[in-house]
Amino acid sequence: MTATTEPTATTAPTTTPQATVTTKTTDARPRRRVIWWRLVPAAVLAVLALIGPFITPYPATRVSGTSGTAPGAEYWFGTDSTGLDVFSQTLAATQLNVFIAVSVVLLATLIGVVLGLAIGMNESRPGPGGLTARGTGRIVDFVQAVPSVIVGLVLVSFFGASIGTIVVAIAVILAPIQVRLVRAEVLRVRGEAYLDAARMAGTSELVLTLRHVLPNSVRPAVANMSVLFGVSVILTAALGFLGAGLPPPTAEWGAMIARGATDAAVGRWWPGAFPALALVLAVAAVSLAFSAFPRAGSRR
Amino acid sequence: MTTAAFSGSTAAEHGRSSATVRTADWFRRQRWWLLRVIALPFQLLLFALVAFLLVRLIPGDPVLTVTGNQATDEQYARIQEQMGLSGSLSDQLVAYFAQLLRFDLGTSLLTQRPLLEEFGQRLPATLELATMALVVSLLLVGVAAYFAVIRPVPVLSAAIRGYARAAGAIPDFAVGVLGIFLFYATLHLSPAPLGRLSPLLSTAPTVTGLPFVDTLLAGDPARTTDMLWHLALPVGVLVIAHSAVVLKLLVGQLDDELQKPSTLFRVSTGASHATVALSVFRRSLPAAVTMAGTMFGYLVGGAVIVEALFAFGGMGQYLTEALAGADLTAMQGFLVAIAAVSLVVFLVVDIVTMLLDPRRRPGAQTEA
Amino acid sequence: MTALAAERLTRRFGHGRRAHTAVDAVDVEFPAGSRTGIVGESGSGKSTLGLMLVGLDRPNGGRVLVDGDDLAPRMRTQAGRRAFRREVQLIAQDTSSSFDPLRTLRDALRTPARQLVGLSIDEADARIAETLGMLGIDPAFADRYPHEVSGGQRQRFAIARALVVRPGFVVCDEVVSALDVSVQGQVLNSLKRYCAQTGAGLAFISHGLPATAFISDRLVVMYRGVVVEQGPTERVIAEPEHPYTRHLLNAHRGPGFEEHRAEVLAGSEPLVPASEPSAGIAREVTR
């Protein structure tokens, strides 16, 4: 019925579990149904990402008109200073930007869940295991201490600007957020009585972690994926903006906005404005889609 | 401050007054921040090690990446030496740390100048920009949170909360481009995005390395106003793009605090509105300070972008050039330098929050 | 039929100056088939003792003996742990977290039946139905999620989870403290009946003296991590030797003690347990 399309890995009942709700929520009662219309913009985004590059009116990476043409009937979003059609570029870039962002979010969350579980379950343990866990926790904190754009810049400059590098670099930057979220939840869950009960039932620590700790700890990280999507779209674009993105003439929103900056200074707003608008709309669409699902109030 | 009172009481309690006991007690009491300060150099070395290893992880031959294929053997050897990539891995590591301990970050491959010198000239300007944005932003966030939560104004409150919800989703570079288009190209309110000063004015003599502070010190009103005029838009861009994160946190925290029994109790005892507001703000402070520290990190990143956008010639442009010229040594040095700055900021944040809230001090946990 | 014993059992928390000895060289025997009540105020170390008895907490000193053998080596292997847990089970105080909120109660009951006893799913379900019947629980509740049943029901499921493996010894930690007086009686009766029918031993940890006195034939009184007195229940209540025991008894004998005791016993009267009306459950769930 309703919960089948929920993107969480858990087989959560449609009603929210009691333990997580009671502490929070200023709202009267948690919503239980999926609000379908909120998924529509994200669905449109997904379709555009899939077919975007194939339906552009002009080639996205080749000159197709006089440079600096204002938006009009022929060039809907105008042309940029090199004569590329802004509409075609913006549309074609959707695929790349969405692909990178989705990969980043999945990879960062995967790292976050694995490390968060490992650190949270072991950090208070004596001996080398606990030491390793605490050490890893500190390193994760450090990565978060350094401005993310700069870490991304350095990583991409080292390992070359390719889609793979960009995805890994941004995922590494964003993973600490997920690690912290999962770890905090693990620390909460670790004290729950049902873990001791499962131990009494003969469950091994590994199975215990996977069957009981994991499903009860991932919610905040999963809810945070919508925020991460936005951040990773913006970080990708920021790297592109600083010249650490994919080499031109690859259509990518950040690089387009960077090139649009010079146009903006001479009064041509369209080469920068449309990719920026696309970026904002994509982020908003995903954020709206996440808000369609019922969830126990998460703090951030 | 606490030492005198504390050692006095122990002496009275236990009838012991030996200096060693007092010193040990003092250390135990002050451990929370002493340990934190002592940890800093080690954290820095760890970061330096990571930067070192990252360069070694670069696939292929990084020297070739820099020199290109046409380099002579002699050129190759020179670049390899300069990048710290000659000799065995352990030799490299020893040489690298020896260099770092002398505060030497290496030499830029592009400009052939010591990186420390390069950063020394550019980084303070970037940090100044970030700090200005931080101060403005914190002031505005405080006011905005007040009107959104403590004394809600109907439409304004909703607008502020809406803005806070956009946290993390406002791209600074896009806001910058929009700002340039709007205020420079269209309304002609802002100066051309081509530096901190109008081209005809000369830069103030370097005293502190912080451009605005130097300009202030030089005491030329015309120049100061001109710089403020140039800084208004970049700072505004940073504030608009990055305030939402702290605002969101503060609003959430204030909402929570308002719901708490202690606040309701205070209201029920008939305390004035101002007293309640003040106490709620004070209790939300540690979280906000932490967030301000994180925000400073974002702002440094944002400042780099804004500098590139407004041609400020600071770290932003240096980085884009280093990037275009594959100056790996510069990137490596920059990572270490920026990590140092971030770690110091986090140290300050940690100590301030621990001062504000003793529960956050390590070893302060009451029960296992 | 399993006998447990604590031998110079010690548990310390923390290090150095903050160190705190929760259980201090405790010697208690739990002969096979005996029902031992452990009483003491909160912080007396009785819960820590219970956790060590079932191997969920490791002592800093001393040993737990299972039928005369040291427990520690058995706990080192998965097979050893499972064999021990098939014999000795723990029922903990009900909190909203005694069951995984994301799994049904049946799921929680199947785990011990399958992992400890080695039953197939169908056998496990049959065993569960049998256990629920024994405890007078409506089997329909088994397919609910923990938050969908009342606290009293949840506690009975916690008991069912422990009894589903038919253990030879059960450690109960404050199992009735959070329950209504009427429910307390039913729960105590179920436990007592299980022990009587199977000859299983019982360690009943509680700060509530009336309930403990009702179910146990021996009493152990703990104070600050130390056993101050132990002996047959009737004797300890009638002629307490240690001042702390007298203090404890007096505290309970204040106004209302006899009434409370009577109430507990009265609540236990219907030996055929009444199934809870569903309206009552709905009310408790929304609370």
Side-chain angles (χ1 to χ4, degrees):
Chain A
M1 24 165 250
T2 47
T4 43
T5 49
E6 189 168 331
T8 60
T10 61
T11 51
T14 33
T15 48
T16 44
Q18 198 179 34
T20 45
V21 213
T22 42
T23 46
K24 174 77 189 181
T25 60
T26 40
D27 307 300
R29 59 184 54 198
R31 199 156 34 76
R32 293 188 177 183
R33 275 202 321 248
V34 177
I35 303 171
W36 290 104
W37 67 263
R38 290 190 179 178
L39 298 174
V40 174
V44 172
L45 180 70
V47 170
L48 286 182
L50 283 175
I51 62 167
F54 311 107
I55 57 163
T56 56
Y58 298 96
T61 51
R62 259 179 296 140
V63 175
S64 51
T66 329
S67 63
T69 315
E74 198 179 346
Y75 303 104
W76 293 350
F77 290 179
T79 60
D80 66 8
S81 49
T82 50
L84 295 168
D85 178 38
V86 177
F87 177 72
S88 300
Q89 284 190 83
T90 309
L91 189 56
T94 312
Q95 183 167 64
L96 187 62
N97 281 80
V98 168
F99 173 77
I100 291 179
V102 169
S103 315
V104 164
V105 169
L106 294 179
L107 185 58
T109 305
L110 182 72
I111 300 174
V113 167
V114 172
L115 282 185
L117 277 177
I119 294 172
M121 290 304 283
N122 293 312
E123 66 175 24
S124 60
R125 197 177 273 198
L131 206 65
T132 317
R134 285 191 293 276
T136 318
R138 294 305 296 177
I139 292 174
V140 166
D141 287 351
F142 290 161
V143 175
Q144 217 179 8
V146 183
S148 43
V149 177
I150 287 162
V151 179
L153 209 58
V154 173
L155 287 180
V156 172
S157 79
F158 282 177
F159 299 102
S162 69
I163 295 179
T165 317
I166 291 174
V167 167
V168 173
I170 300 180
V172 166
I173 296 165
L174 297 182
I177 303 174
Q178 299 293 68
V179 174
R180 283 188 158 196
L181 281 176
V182 176
R183 175 183 160 270
E185 283 300 289
V186 169
L187 293 186
R188 176 183 66 78
V189 171
R190 217 178 48 179
E192 302 280 28
Y194 55 80
L195 294 193
D196 269 348
R199 288 190 185 100
M200 287 309 297
T203 311
S204 70
E205 288 297 307
L206 183 66
V207 174
L208 184 93
T209 307
L210 295 180
R211 192 186 290 171
H212 298 291
V213 182
L214 174 68
N216 281 293
S217 315
V218 291
R219 265 175 178 268
V222 168
N224 194 44
M225 284 168 83
S226 76
V227 177
L228 280 199
F229 180 87
V231 175
S232 72
V233 167
I234 289 171
L235 266 179
T236 315
L239 290 182
F241 183 86
L242 284 170
L246 299 163
T250 317
E252 193 275 319
W253 293 335
M256 289 175 71
I257 297 170
R259 277 178 266 138
T262 33
D263 290 285
V266 294
R268 287 200 299 264
W269 52 272
W270 52 92
F274 285 112
L277 190 67
L279 187 152
V280 170
L281 287 180
V283 172
V286 170
S287 160
L288 187 70
F290 267 78
S291 76
F293 296 101
R295 93 163 74 128
S298 73
R299 256 166 200 279
R300 322 228 138 88
Chain B
M1 38 160 204
T2 53
T3 32
F6 179 74
S7 55
S9 73
T10 27
E13 269 170 30
H14 303 294
R16 287 181 302 181
S17 57
S18 85
T20 49
V21 170
R22 232 178 306 159
T23 322
D25 276 340
W26 185 84
F27 268 109
R28 210 160 50 78
R29 278 249 132 178
Q30 310 301 326
R31 219 172 59 132
W32 56 274
W33 67 269
L34 280 176
L35 281 182
R36 189 63 187 77
V37 172
I38 292 168
L40 184 72
F42 294 99
Q43 295 170 347
L44 268 176
L45 285 182
L46 190 71
F47 248 119
L49 183 68
V50 170
F52 174 86
L53 292 176
L54 273 180
V55 172
R56 270 82 198 160
L57 276 175
I58 296 176
D61 186 349
V63 182
L64 273 186
T65 317
V66 176
T67 57
N69 284 326
Q70 279 87 21
T72 61
D73 285 353
E74 185 213 344
Q75 276 173 320
Y76 183 92
R78 191 174 53 79
I79 299 284
Q80 191 182 37
E81 171 77 42
Q82 206 177 334
M83 289 177 78
L85 290 173
S86 44
S88 72
L89 196 65
S90 56
D91 288 349
Q92 291 175 22
L93 189 66
V94 170
Y96 175 71
F97 276 108
Q99 211 181 21
L100 273 186
L101 291 177
R102 293 195 307 269
F103 292 101
D104 182 356
L105 290 172
T107 306
S108 164
L109 299 172
L110 278 183
T111 60
Q112 295 299 333
R113 290 177 57 200
L115 285 172
L116 197 71
E117 202 179 292
E118 300 251 26
F119 294 159
Q121 277 172 6
R122 291 158 194 270
L123 198 54
T126 308
L127 297 181
E128 187 192 57
L129 185 60
T131 311
M132 287 171 116
L134 183 70
V135 172
V136 175
S137 162
L138 288 182
L139 287 176
L140 288 180
V141 162
V143 173
Y146 181 79
F147 284 116
V149 183
I150 312 276
R151 203 179 275 270
V153 180
V155 182
L156 188 62
S157 166
I160 292 171
R161 280 169 186 273
Y163 167 70
R165 226 166 282 140
I170 311 173
D172 39 19
F173 50 93
V175 175
V177 173
L178 181 71
I180 290 175
F181 171 74
L182 214 59
F183 293 102
Y184 165 68
T186 310
L187 299 172
H188 305 291
L189 288 173
S190 263
L194 293 170
R196 275 192 173 79
L197 279 177
S198 298
L200 297 176
L201 294 172
S202 57
T203 338
T206 306
V207 185
T208 55
L210 307 166
F212 184 67
V213 175
D214 282 349
T215 311
L216 271 183
L217 288 177
D220 179 357
R223 198 154 47 187
T224 313
T225 343
D226 186 70
M227 187 173 274
L228 278 178
W229 189 43
H230 278 83
L231 283 174
L233 188 55
V235 170
V237 166
L238 286 176
V239 169
I240 289 175
H242 294 285
S243 296
V245 179
V246 181
L247 184 62
K248 184 184 183 185
L249 186 100
L250 188 61
V251 166
Q253 193 83 20
L254 287 174
D255 278 339
D256 282 0
E257 288 291 347
L258 276 182
Q259 304 289 330
K260 280 194 181 158
S262 51
T263 306
L264 298 177
F265 173 74
R266 223 173 256 266
V267 173
S268 74
T269 55
S272 74
H273 197 89
T275 318
V276 175
L278 206 65
S279 89
V280 168
F281 255 107
R282 196 177 47 75
R283 274 178 285 142
S284 306
L285 213 53
V289 169
T290 311
M291 208 54 225
T294 316
M295 187 189 173
F296 187 74
Y298 292 138
L299 285 172
V300 171
V304 168
I305 287 178
V306 163
E307 280 182 330
L309 193 58
F310 287 85
F312 273 9
M315 277 324 296
Q317 266 167 333
Y318 183 78
L319 274 182
T320 39
E321 281 162 26
L323 202 63
D327 190 343
L328 296 183
T329 315
M331 300 306 281
Q332 185 189 13
F334 184 63
L335 184 62
V336 175
I338 212 76
V341 172
S342 311
L343 287 175
V344 170
V345 169
F346 268 74
L347 172 74
V348 173
V349 165
D350 272 5
I351 289 185
V352 170
T353 49
M354 288 192 272
L355 271 176
L356 289 171
D357 184 353
R359 282 172 303 176
R360 289 170 189 258
R361 297 174 193 175
Q365 58 266 54
T366 42
E367 271 298 299
Chain C
M1 296 287 272
T2 308
L4 282 185
E7 198 181 81
R8 312 298 298 163
L9 211 53
T10 303
R11 180 71 169 103
R12 278 183 302 272
F13 293 107
H15 302 280
R17 287 186 187 214
R18 286 167 202 259
H20 156 70
T21 307
V23 176
D24 199 353
V26 162
D27 280 307
V28 182
E29 290 207 10
F30 303 91
S34 70
R35 295 196 303 274
T36 311
I38 303 175
V39 290
E41 60 196 20
S42 26
S44 61
K46 54 192 195 310
S47 285
T48 310
L49 176 63
L51 287 177
M52 288 190 289
L53 284 177
V54 299
L56 283 177
D57 197 1
R58 220 177 288 169
N60 300 99
R63 304 190 293 172
V64 173
L65 299 178
V66 189
D67 289 330
D69 298 328
D70 190 358
L71 173 63
R74 297 182 68 175
M75 293 304 285
R76 283 190 201 117
T77 64
Q78 175 83 338
R81 280 195 294 270
R82 287 192 171 163
F84 169 65
R85 287 190 165 144
R86 186 177 174 171
E87 283 307 309
V88 179
Q89 275 290 322
L90 170 79
I91 307 168
Q93 180 170 13
D94 174 66
T95 59
S96 53
S97 82
S98 32
F99 287 88
D100 186 334
L102 300 180
R103 292 176 169 267
T104 61
L105 295 166
R106 179 180 302 283
D107 199 273
L109 264 62
R110 268 182 191 159
T111 314
R114 303 198 62 206
Q115 288 183 339
L116 298 180
V117 191
L119 301 177
S120 69
I121 289 193
D122 290 340
E123 290 168 341
D125 281 351
R127 176 72 78 90
I128 290 169
E130 190 190 324
T131 314
L132 295 182
M134 191 170 85
L135 294 169
I137 307 172
D138 183 347
F141 285 145
D143 293 306
R144 296 197 181 182
Y145 285 93
H147 66 278
E148 295 173 324
V149 303
S150 69
Q153 285 293 352
R154 218 166 32 224
Q155 185 64 351
R156 277 186 249 187
F157 268 99
I159 294 171
R161 173 167 59 189
L163 300 190
V164 83
V165 303
R166 305 285 182 263
F169 196 94
V170 183
V171 178
C172 297
D173 186 8
E174 304 282 11
V175 283
V176 294
S177 313
L179 301 179
D180 288 343
V181 177
S182 58
V183 186
Q184 281 189 15
Q186 295 171 18
V187 166
L188 290 175
N189 254 315
S190 312
L191 277 172
K192 204 171 181 176
R193 207 155 23 130
Y194 173 77
C195 293
Q197 282 169 1
T198 61
L202 180 74
F204 192 87
I205 300 167
S206 175
H207 62 263
L209 203 52
T212 315
F214 166 74
I215 202 162
S216 63
D217 47 33
R218 289 177 65 250
L219 263 190
V220 173
V221 183
M222 284 188 74
Y223 178 65
R224 293 197 169 190
V226 180
V227 172
V228 293
E229 179 163 2
Q230 53 181 316
T233 304
E234 291 307 315
R235 204 274 298 151
V236 174
I237 287 183
E239 313 155 19
E241 286 167 3
H242 195 273
Y244 177 72
T245 314
R246 274 198 292 277
H247 169 76
L248 203 65
L249 285 167
N250 285 336
H252 276 288
R253 281 223 179 86
F257 173 69
E258 288 305 327
E259 290 86 336
H260 183 65
R261 188 180 154 103
E263 255 184 297
V264 169
L265 298 179
S268 70
E269 270 309 302
L271 276 177
V272 182
S275 57
E276 289 200 39
S278 49
I281 293 153
R283 212 177 329 113
E284 276 192 75
V285 169
T286 51
R287 152 177 72 110

